[in-house]
Amino acid sequence: MAKQNMIQRESKRTRLINKYNKKRIHLKEQFTHAEDFIQKQEIHHKLQKLPRNSSPCRHRNRCWATGRSRAYYRDFGLSRHVLREMAHQCLLPGVTKSSW
């Protein structure tokens, strides 16, 4: 189980990403259509003033059962440990243990 503060920090990042998403997209669009270098610098400065945690690349996927951030399977939203346990209990439809 992940620490509660890490899970709370990630949920705060998610809220910030959703809050500043439109503003960030609008500024990036202005940046691509800017004519001269000075305008681009001003727009880039506005982008830098946004909170760091509002950037989508800082978002980390986490397992919904344990909160683990590593070994995350996007298809299920689970970490490998929970995925293995649920697959053995036949709780995931269509998932079978491989053999060759």
Side-chain angles (χ1 to χ4, degrees):
M1 188 75 185
K3 292 182 180 178
Q4 287 298 314
N5 66 339
M6 298 303 289
I7 295 171
Q8 293 299 320
R9 189 181 300 168
E10 198 60 45
S11 65
K12 180 184 175 185
R13 281 187 185 133
T14 304
R15 283 195 311 270
L16 282 173
I17 289 168
N18 293 334
K19 181 178 178 182
Y20 289 100
N21 189 27
K22 289 182 182 177
K23 188 171 186 177
R24 185 175 292 276
I25 289 172
H26 180 69
L27 286 172
K28 284 186 176 182
E29 188 175 312
Q30 282 183 345
F31 186 80
T32 56
H33 297 305
E35 296 286 325
D36 58 346
F37 183 70
I38 296 170
Q39 283 181 341
K40 285 191 175 193
Q41 277 185 328
E42 291 171 359
I43 296 168
H44 190 57
H45 186 66
K46 288 179 185 177
L47 266 172
Q48 285 181 333
K49 282 192 172 185
L50 295 177
R52 283 189 180 180
N53 283 333
S54 69
S55 177
C57 67
R58 291 177 73 99
H59 177 71
R60 184 85 184 203
N61 291 327
R62 290 193 174 270
C63 173
W64 61 265
T66 60
R68 182 179 165 90
S69 63
R70 297 185 179 206
Y72 175 82
Y73 284 85
R74 287 185 188 177
D75 295 337
F76 304 101
L78 298 169
S79 65
R80 62 184 174 91
H81 303 291
V82 179
L83 179 76
R84 184 173 184 269
E85 289 173 7
M86 291 178 81
H88 283 300
Q89 295 171 359
C90 299
L91 296 174
L92 299 173
V95 178
T96 57
K97 187 175 177 182
S98 64
S99 61
W100 60 90

